[in-house]
Amino acid sequence: MTDMTKAKVYAASLGSVFSEGVCFSLFAPGLSGFDSSEYVIFPGFCDVHVHFREPGFSYKETVKTGSLAAARGGYTALCTMPNLNPVPDCRENLQAELDIIKRDAAINVYPFAAVTRGERGEALSDMEELAPFVCGFSDDGKGVQKEQMMESAMTKAKTLGKVISAHCEDESLLFSGYIHDGKYAREHGHRGICSESEYLQIERDLALAEKIGCKYHVCHISAKESVELIRKAKKRGVDVTCETAPHYLCLCEDDLKEDGKFKMNP
């Protein structure tokens, strides 16, 4: 049995009943005599925040290479972020991405469209036109700086039944920083980024989501204050979810070295 076959068994495709998906996978061609006691079988994993960089930045990643890597790891569905070139802020621009997905994706790939035109935060994208073809809206890579713009986006997203997935970063609080504004930054003369630049925008958005009733998702949270704000909002009934990343759970400023290996935004 090849490694790819193992990955497919490990990520058994979801059917209407999970056991049916498992049984289908176990009786697939080439799996006779398969000893399931050696494996833990899960439904296929879904990653709601990936960057496949096509179109526009294929030297970083492609739909083909990214989706093959995901399949190898047991993923059967992915949601791709819209910081591309062209930015999927209208039907024509989105179609360029959809064509690549149709041609090259090894698993299910569901794109996000941009919240604002060009992810510049000045005018809403063609949200109504884009909605049938995307899983939600995000300006990932940048925070929506203007409260009024985010309120308009959430209002429109609610009418369309779509989620707003937000990269929360108040650019007025960055001060050209590039690592956490803590002890390490001070001791080594680095410009720091304060936690407020993340959690204050989350606080703003949570208030809007609560008022409007929009589905709201917070990308890659990295500050304890962000966790607490989201926890409290969920208790109040706000329709909010969030995500983090392994390096925020496993590393901290004490692990930094003067070699740039741990640089990550935010």
Side-chain angles (χ1 to χ4, degrees), residues 121-138:
E122 299 299 327
L124 290 181
S125 65
D126 295 341
M127 294 177 70
E128 190 165 351
E129 182 182 54
L130 292 162
F133 307 97
V134 298
C135 59
F137 296 91
S138 178

Side-chain angles (χ1 to χ4, degrees), residues 38-163:
E38 297 179 8
Y39 298 87
V40 176
I41 302 176
F42 292 91
F45 298 134
C46 175
D47 192 332
V48 299
H49 187 138
V50 303
H51 295 271
F52 282 174
R53 307 300 183 182
E54 271 192 311
F57 307 99
S58 57
Y59 61 92
K60 296 182 178 181
E61 185 69 277
T62 67
V63 169
K64 183 175 183 178
T65 59
S67 62
L68 284 171
R72 179 71 171 79
Y75 287 80
T76 57
L78 303 167
C79 301
T80 53
M81 289 296 157
N83 43 343
L84 305 169
N85 186 18
V87 173
D89 55 9
C90 64
R91 184 71 174 86
E92 180 182 3
N93 289 355
L94 176 65
Q95 190 60 49
E97 182 182 6
L98 292 174
D99 289 344
I100 296 170
I101 291 170
K102 182 178 180 180
R103 184 190 71 208
D104 292 340
I107 58 176
N108 294 316
V109 175
Y110 305 103
F112 275 95
V115 172
T116 65
R117 293 187 181 277
E119 292 197 337
R120 292 189 292 270
E122 299 299 327
L124 290 181
S125 65
D126 295 341
M127 294 177 70
E128 190 165 351
E129 182 182 54
L130 292 162
F133 307 97
V134 298
C135 59
F137 296 91
S138 178
D139 269 5
D140 188 54
K142 300 177 182 178
V144 176
Q145 300 302 303
K146 298 178 181 178
E147 181 174 348
Q148 184 178 2
M149 184 60 61
M150 181 57 91
E151 183 171 3
S152 296
M154 286 187 175
T155 301
K156 176 62 75 171
K158 182 185 179 183
T159 66
L160 297 170
K162 295 294 181 179
V163 65

